[in-house]
Amino acid sequence: MLNVTEKTTDDELAKALAAFEKRLATRADLYAELLIFKRYVDKKTKALKRQYLALHAEIAKFGRKVKQSKET
């Protein structure tokens, strides 16, 4: 962090601004990567939920068949 005073030179200000812009760009890149990863996880979560519901339906169907076979 640069303490700006009347004696601060233009070069010091330029260096501080460049460092700030670099940190800001890095954070923006990291945030963009985080959003991409979040979308990936959301898609995988939805796919797993669909698979879970399909498996649960198959188990229920099998359970009904077993119950019917026991009744007859």
Side-chain angles (χ1 to χ4, degrees):
M1 187 64 125
L2 178 68
N3 291 327
V4 179
T5 64
E6 292 178 6
K7 294 181 181 179
T8 304
T9 64
D10 289 343
D11 288 341
E12 291 172 330
L13 288 172
K15 286 179 185 177
L17 180 60
F20 176 74
E21 287 174 345
K22 185 177 180 181
R23 284 195 317 270
L24 190 62
T26 302
R27 288 186 181 141
D29 290 345
L30 290 174
Y31 184 69
E33 288 181 31
L34 177 65
L35 288 179
I36 291 168
F37 182 70
K38 183 184 179 305
R39 273 189 241 128
Y40 171 79
V41 169
D42 288 346
K43 285 181 182 180
K44 289 294 181 182
T45 302
K46 285 181 183 178
L48 287 172
K49 188 174 182 179
R50 274 194 302 271
Q51 289 175 350
Y52 169 79
L53 292 174
L55 181 61
H56 188 63
E58 288 293 321
I59 291 170
K61 193 186 309 181
F62 180 73
R64 285 191 296 274
K65 285 183 182 179
V66 169
K67 187 176 179 182
Q68 287 175 352
S69 68
K70 284 185 180 179
E71 290 176 354
T72 57

